[in-house]
Structure formats: C-alpha cells, structure tokens
Amino acid sequence: MSRTILLIQLDTREKSRSYAYFQSVDECLERVCKIYEEHLKRCTPSAHVITYDILQLFDFIDMLKDLTCLVHQVDAKTYAPRNKHWIKHQIREKLRKEANKSAEEKRQQGIPKEEKGSAKFL
C-alpha cells in the first residue's frame, strides 16, 4: 500500500487544478475513474445509466491538461512522479484483475462464461 497524491488539471484554467491524497494507488485509480464518471454525468444529465469502455476512459485521460500521480517510495522516503501512460497501464491492470476475479467467482458458482465482447463499466 503506497500513499499516493493525485495532481489533476482538467483544462487550461488554473482554477481547474486540484489534488487529492490517497492511502493507496488503487484508491487513486478508482478516483480517476470516478472523475470520468462525474464528467459523463454532467455531459448527459438525463441518462439513468452511464456506461463506458476503457478506450473512452483513456481518451478522457489524454485530453486532460495534466494528470500525475506522486507515489510514495518507502525506501527512498520520497514521492516518485507517474505520468498518464503509467496511470492508464495501472488502470488496465486493475480492471483486468477485477475481471479475472469476477470470472473465477462465476466459475466457482457454476455460472456460464459470458460471450466475448467489449467491456462496459458502471
């Protein structure tokens, strides 16, 4: 569990700069996804259910003015900066692990495997 600071700037306005502190990288990644979901809600206020795929999330990350994680390095007693590419890779791995865990739980419960298709996340 590495303490993580998220630095974000949504657009060119200085007022859009923000930061948040998390107890772990996973919590930080979840917040990045939540920021995108909040953006989708603002863009489609009449929608009752919002779905998106990972490529849409990554496009959103790419369009942000700045998105950086500062991940605490215990041995060095410092924070290491991580860029958008690293953040997207970590999100991809996190979602892959969650999908594998969900598939394994379904297999153990005897639920048939789903057909291959694009993933949608709520």
Side-chain angles (χ1 to χ4, degrees):
M1 212 149 109
S2 295
R3 295 178 306 208
T4 305
I5 300 170
L6 176 67
L7 306 173
I8 186 168
Q9 184 172 355
L10 301 174
D11 53 42
T12 57
R13 297 173 301 128
E14 284 189 25
K15 289 186 176 187
S16 72
R17 290 179 183 168
S18 182
Y19 71 94
Y21 177 83
F22 301 93
Q23 290 296 321
S24 69
V25 170
D26 273 357
E27 286 179 17
C28 180
L29 299 175
E30 288 170 15
R31 182 65 185 132
V32 171
C33 294
K34 188 72 172 164
I35 290 168
Y36 178 57
E37 291 166 7
E38 291 166 359
H39 167 77
L40 290 176
K41 287 177 186 176
R42 283 191 305 276
C43 291
T44 55
S46 61
H48 297 298
V49 176
I50 296 175
T51 59
Y52 61 96
D53 65 33
I54 196 168
L55 295 178
Q56 292 168 312
L57 172 62
F58 288 176
D59 286 344
F60 174 77
I61 289 172
D62 287 337
M63 72 121 213
L64 294 173
K65 174 73 174 155
D66 187 26
L67 184 68
T68 304
C69 287
L70 301 175
V71 181
H72 187 251
Q73 306 297 302
V74 177
D75 296 342
K77 296 180 183 167
T78 188
Y79 284 85
R82 304 293 185 214
N83 63 17
K84 290 179 182 180
H85 178 75
W86 182 89
I87 293 167
K88 291 189 295 186
H89 176 76
Q90 295 303 308
I91 289 172
R92 182 182 301 112
E93 288 302 306
K94 177 177 173 45
L95 294 175
R96 184 185 59 75
K97 288 176 186 175
E98 288 174 1
N100 288 343
K101 182 180 176 185
S102 177
E104 178 61 23
E105 288 171 356
K106 287 180 181 179
R107 188 189 64 75
Q108 289 176 354
Q109 294 172 0
I111 299 172
K113 186 176 181 181
E114 294 178 13
E115 294 294 321
K116 186 177 181 180
S118 65
K120 300 288 184 186
F121 308 99
L122 294 178

